[in-house]
């Protein structure tokens, strides 16, 4: 697969993202080291297959992901691609560099910095300024509040208004929140003017909880949703014994369900990976599927699987066998009106 990937606009922001996007935690040495050359080659391959949306964060490798992403994109037309990064964790130099970050953050990098939770207005601006330095760009297109699970009061009271101000000043194009849960993201959609939310792991072939409230609310409010973690940490990529689900070993029941889905996919001449990548786009609020990759061959596979057409028979059999609930929308069905179809300006509905 090469050439352009289709694009969709995040809410009413004017920021257009490709429907397949590059999650850059892996090139921040998530769980295992990645060489500079491997990271650069993976990003070059992503560009070759048409990906133009890249998501990163200071948290990823204590800034390593941002530095590598910025280096790989340097020299390319800045108007041709989109970068999202995140705020909420400031990086402060460590007093003494001892060991690596694997135990604390999950990244195979020297523990040169420590993370400080900070969703204050000042913290948001300082975090963004530092990200711009590491990326080597004068602007980022999208900024997400990163994992405010235990910091809701500060995130809603200070962090979100700070992002809204940055957007009104034209410093960033779109704002939102990124989390591994759906419930607080639903609150952001309903109570603020976010353009998009990034929901990881909560809308997959195995986990549909974002469909309960988040996705309907997003459709109603004209908010876009970026879906990450479509493989649920690996189980839906390769459902073998010992495979991970949400960062830990998958329980037997989920492993059996994933293997059953793989068998259905094979009967219909497709793959479980293709079905997992296709599934989120069945809902009209979903603007992009974010895939975490660290090597060029993973990029190629993701692009090929994403481009593959999953037969309607797969979705039908998955429903008939109870592997997918009947109410879950699937690709190819007639879709309800999505954010891009809703007319009128909804900004200013609720100010915090």
């Amino acid at each position: 697969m090469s050439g352009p990937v289709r694009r969709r606009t995040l809410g009413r922001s004017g920021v257009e993202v490709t429907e397949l996007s590059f999650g850059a935690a892996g090139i921040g040495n998530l769980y295992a080291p990645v060489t500079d050359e491997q990271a650069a080659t993976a990003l070059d391959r992503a560009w070759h297959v048409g990906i133009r949306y890249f998501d990163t964060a200071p948290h990823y490798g204590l800034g390593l992901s941002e530095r590598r992403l910025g280096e790989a994109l340097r020299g390319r037309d800045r108007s041709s691609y989109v970068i999202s990064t995140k705020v909420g964790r400031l990086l402060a130099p460590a007093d003494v560099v001892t060991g690596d970050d694997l135990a604390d953050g999950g990244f195979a990098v020297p523990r040169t910095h420590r993370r400080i939770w900070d969703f204050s207005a000042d913290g948001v601006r300082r975090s963004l300024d530092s990200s711009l330095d590491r990326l080597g760009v004068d602007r980022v297109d999208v900024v997400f509040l990163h994992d405010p699970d235990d910091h809701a009061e500060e995130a809603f009271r200070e962090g979100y208004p700070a992002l809204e101000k940055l957007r009104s000043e034209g410093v960033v194009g779109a704002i939102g929140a990124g989390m591994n849960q759906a419930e607080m993201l639903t609150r952001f959609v309903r109570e603020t003017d976010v353009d998009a939310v990034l929901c990881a792991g909560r809308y997959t072939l195995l986990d549909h909880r974002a469909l309960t409230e988040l996705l309907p609310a997003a459709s109603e409010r004209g908010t876009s949703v970026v879906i990450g973690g479509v493989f649920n940490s690996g189980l839906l990529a390769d459902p073998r014994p010992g495979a991970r689900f949400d960062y830990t070993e998958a329980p037997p029941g989920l492993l059996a369900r994933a293997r059953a889905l793989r068998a259905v996919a094979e009967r219909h001449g497709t793959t479980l990976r293709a079905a997992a990548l296709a599934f989120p786009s069945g809902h009209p609020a979903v603007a992009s599927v974010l895939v975490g990759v660290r090597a060029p061959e993973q990029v190629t596979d993701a692009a090929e699987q994403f481009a593959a057409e999953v037969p309607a028979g797969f979705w039908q059999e998955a429903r008939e066998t109870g592997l997918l609930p009947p109410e879950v929308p699937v690709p190819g069905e007639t879709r309800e009106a999505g954010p891009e179809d809703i007319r009128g300006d909804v900004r200013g509905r609720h100010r915090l």
Side-chain angles (χ1 to χ4, degrees):
M1 173 184 174
S2 61
V5 179
R6 290 185 304 179
R7 302 191 185 208
R8 294 188 66 187
T9 302
L10 295 181
R12 288 173 178 75
S13 68
V15 175
E16 291 188 344
V17 297
T18 46
E19 292 184 335
L20 180 65
S21 42
F22 188 106
I27 64 167
N29 289 12
L30 180 63
Y31 302 133
V34 173
T35 66
D36 289 342
E37 181 181 7
Q38 188 179 41
T41 306
L43 286 159
D44 283 345
R45 185 70 56 84
W47 191 272
H48 175 72
V49 301
I51 293 172
R52 295 294 185 271
Y53 173 30
F54 304 88
D55 175 75
T56 185
H59 171 57
Y60 302 157
L62 297 173
L64 178 63
S65 173
E66 289 183 318
R67 289 193 295 272
R68 283 174 164 171
L69 177 60
E71 181 62 32
L73 294 175
R74 197 153 296 135
R76 301 187 190 272
D77 178 5
R78 182 63 188 87
S79 66
S80 66
Y81 62 86
V82 166
I83 296 175
S84 61
T85 193
K86 307 181 183 75
V87 294
R89 292 176 176 92
L90 291 173
L91 301 181
D95 296 330
V96 180
V97 179
T98 57
D100 61 35
D101 183 58
L102 276 170
D104 292 336
F107 294 89
V109 296
R111 197 184 301 159
T112 57
H113 290 73
R114 55 192 177 90
R115 300 173 179 86
I116 301 172
W117 289 101
D118 192 338
F119 289 94
S120 69
D122 178 66
V124 164
R125 285 188 175 268
R126 288 167 56 201
S127 181
L128 181 56
D129 285 345
S130 296
S131 289
L132 292 174
D133 287 342
R134 285 187 291 267
L135 286 160
V137 296
D138 60 2
R139 63 181 172 84
V140 294
D141 306 279
V142 188
V143 180
F144 294 114
L145 297 167
H146 198 187
D147 295 337
D149 306 65
D150 299 324
H151 307 270
E153 183 179 352
E154 187 177 43
F156 279 92
R157 187 185 67 247
E158 294 193 46
Y160 167 74
L163 287 187
E164 193 175 64
K165 191 170 190 298
L166 288 168
R167 182 180 62 189
S168 69
E169 293 169 351
V171 176
V172 300
I175 60 173
M179 306 179 73
N180 290 291
Q181 59 150 292
E183 293 76 16
M184 194 182 295
L185 290 181
T186 304
R187 183 182 168 194
F188 274 107
V189 168
R190 287 177 171 162
E191 297 183 10
T192 76
D193 261 345
V194 291
D195 301 290
V197 293
L198 197 170
C199 182
R202 304 286 74 88
Y203 196 57
T204 73
L205 286 173
L206 294 173
D207 189 329
H208 318 127
R209 73 189 75 177
L211 189 61
T212 304
E213 294 187 63
L214 174 59
L215 289 166
S219 285
E220 179 184 346
R221 306 280 284 189
T223 305
S224 294
V225 181
V226 177
I227 296 294
V230 293
F231 298 133
N232 282 126
S233 297
L235 181 58
L236 285 169
D238 183 11
R240 67 188 189 286
R244 289 182 175 184
F245 176 84
D246 284 0
Y247 312 109
T248 61
E249 185 172 335
L254 277 177
L255 176 61
R257 192 166 150 212
R259 292 168 72 91
L261 282 163
R262 182 176 64 181
V264 174
E266 291 173 349
R267 280 197 291 275
H268 290 276
T270 188
T271 67
L272 181 59
R273 301 191 310 288
L277 285 164
F279 171 74
S281 298
H283 196 285
V286 175
S288 186
V289 175
L290 182 69
V291 182
V293 288
R294 62 174 60 229
E297 57 270 19
Q298 292 178 336
V299 177
T300 299
D301 182 71
E304 290 176 348
Q305 299 297 319
F306 186 75
E309 183 174 350
V310 178
F314 167 82
W315 307 112
Q316 181 179 346
E317 184 175 345
R319 282 173 165 169
E320 290 173 349
T321 55
L323 293 169
L324 280 179
E327 69 274 12
V328 172
V330 298
E333 289 183 325
T334 301
R335 306 198 309 182
E336 62 187 86
E340 70 276 15
D341 301 314
I342 301 172
R343 299 292 181 258
D345 186 2
V346 293
R347 294 218 188 282
R349 294 163 301 203
H350 185 91
R351 298 292 188 200
L352 295 177

